[in-house]
């Protein structure tokens, strides 16, 4: 059975809110990544279930599907017939992505990193996205937002992890009570990841640091989703908010 991690999958209201959020994040992707018709794009974290409105929203919106490679741990070969020209490649959880260094101009990854394990596994996952892409556009729900967007529970995700997971188990949400299935991040943790990765990813000459910026998608004025945009040292662009 496909794993549908959709951020907003807990009722009609959240499906409507989620659709609006995804449109805003796609607009931010266009603004930051500035894709061209010739850019090769990797989408990490597609789902074989394409019937739900918000699933695979990038493929549904992006006009150059012939340049998209879709990747996930599930068998999503069916998506090749739904998005003309797009190619599917399956990856294995916890292992390197099956692509060459800097094979893609842009890597798109929405609402995936929070499902990749504890902090070391998440940092390793982020490093893989940077390895295979010249630019990385990543989104993830913000742990500092008062409502946890998978379970639609307020505030309990701010409790210590074990207490939070025990509450989820008692409420019958045992899937999300496991760290490997849900481990929320905030901007502070992402900055720690990036600081670590800057030290282990050597810049080419002349020395230039790995560049990134963090922005947010907002819901009711609050920062509901983190948007992380990364440019490798050999790609063009600049950082615009000082988080480099």
């Amino acid at each position: 059975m496909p794993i549908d991690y959709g951020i907003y999958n807990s009722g009609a209201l959240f499906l409507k809110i989620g659709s609006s959020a995804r449109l805003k994040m796609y607009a931010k992707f266009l603004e930051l990544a500035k894709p061209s018709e010739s850019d090769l794009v990797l989408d990490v974290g597609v789902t074989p279930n394409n019937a739900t409105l918000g699933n695979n929203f990038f493929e549904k919106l992006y006009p150059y599907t012939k340049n998209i490679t879709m990747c996930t741990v599930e068998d999503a070969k069916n998506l090749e017939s739904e998005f003309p020209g797009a190619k599917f490649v399956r990856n294995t959880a916890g292992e390197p992505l099956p692509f060459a260094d800097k094979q893609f101009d842009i890597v798109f990854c929405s609402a995936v990193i929070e499902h990749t394990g504890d902090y070391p596994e998440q940092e390793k996952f982020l490093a893989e996205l940077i390895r295979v892409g010249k630019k990385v556009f990543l989104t993830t729900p913000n742990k500092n937002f008062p409502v946890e967007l998978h379970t639609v529970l307020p505030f309990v995700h701010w409790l210590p992890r074990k207490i939070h997971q025990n509450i989820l188990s008692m409420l019958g949400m045992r899937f999300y009570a496991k760290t490997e299935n849900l481990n929320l991040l905030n901007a502070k943790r992402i900055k720690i990841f990036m600081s670590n990765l800057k030290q282990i990813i050597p810049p080419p000459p002349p020395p230039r640091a790995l560049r990134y910026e963090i922005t947010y998608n907002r819901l009711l004025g609050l920062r509901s989703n983190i948007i992380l945009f990364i440019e490798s040292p050999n790609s063009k662009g600049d950082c615009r908010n000082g988080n480099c």
Side-chain angles (χ1 to χ4, degrees), residues 63-80:
Y64 313 121
T65 54
K66 62 183 176 63
N67 290 335
I68 298 177
T69 297
M70 305 171 291
C71 182
T72 190
V73 297
E74 304 173 81
D75 183 4
K77 188 75 173 176
N78 61 294
L79 297 181
E80 291 187 342

Side-chain angles (χ1 to χ4, degrees), residues 28-211:
K28 196 67 176 178
F29 164 79
L30 296 179
E31 175 191 336
L32 294 175
K34 295 180 173 58
S36 70
E37 187 174 354
S38 62
D39 280 342
L40 299 181
V41 181
L42 173 66
D43 183 2
V44 179
V46 296
T47 173
N49 174 16
N50 200 41
T52 302
L53 179 64
N55 287 356
N56 307 314
F57 75 94
F58 179 76
E59 284 73 17
K60 293 172 181 175
L61 294 171
Y62 194 67
Y64 313 121
T65 54
K66 62 183 176 63
N67 290 335
I68 298 177
T69 297
M70 305 171 291
C71 182
T72 190
V73 297
E74 304 173 81
D75 183 4
K77 188 75 173 176
N78 61 294
L79 297 181
E80 291 187 342
S81 62
E82 301 192 41
F83 300 111
K87 177 184 177 182
F88 172 71
V89 176
R90 191 169 186 174
N91 70 295
T92 301
E95 295 187 6
L97 293 172
F99 306 108
D101 294 358
K102 305 305 176 197
Q103 182 173 336
F104 299 94
D105 296 295
I106 306 170
V107 174
F108 181 90
C109 184
S110 181
V112 177
I113 193 170
E114 69 269 20
H115 305 301
T116 57
D118 211 340
Y119 297 141
E121 288 75 29
Q122 290 176 320
E123 186 175 300
K124 179 181 176 182
F125 175 77
L126 182 56
E128 273 299 289
L129 300 183
I130 295 170
R131 179 184 67 80
V132 302
K134 300 172 186 175
K135 300 177 183 179
V136 176
F137 181 91
L138 177 147
T139 77
T140 188
N142 185 8
K143 186 176 181 178
N144 292 348
F145 189 65
V147 178
E148 199 291 294
L149 297 173
H150 297 82
T151 61
V152 201
L153 294 175
F155 306 118
V156 294
H157 59 292
W158 290 350
L159 296 170
R161 179 189 290 179
K162 199 64 180 176
I163 297 175
H164 175 217
Q165 292 178 337
N166 286 340
I167 291 173
L168 293 181
S169 293
M170 288 188 293
L171 293 175
M173 302 179 183
R174 293 181 179 83
F175 180 80
Y176 288 129
K178 298 179 180 179
T179 303
E180 61 265 30
N181 295 331
L182 183 63
N183 187 30
L184 298 170
L185 298 171
N186 56 24
K188 181 179 179 180
R189 177 58 59 178
I190 289 176
K191 289 179 180 179
I192 292 173
F193 289 167
M194 292 305 302
S195 177
N196 293 339
L197 292 175
K198 278 185 175 183
Q199 297 176 40
I200 65 174
I201 298 176
R208 293 169 60 196
L210 192 68
R211 301 173 296 182

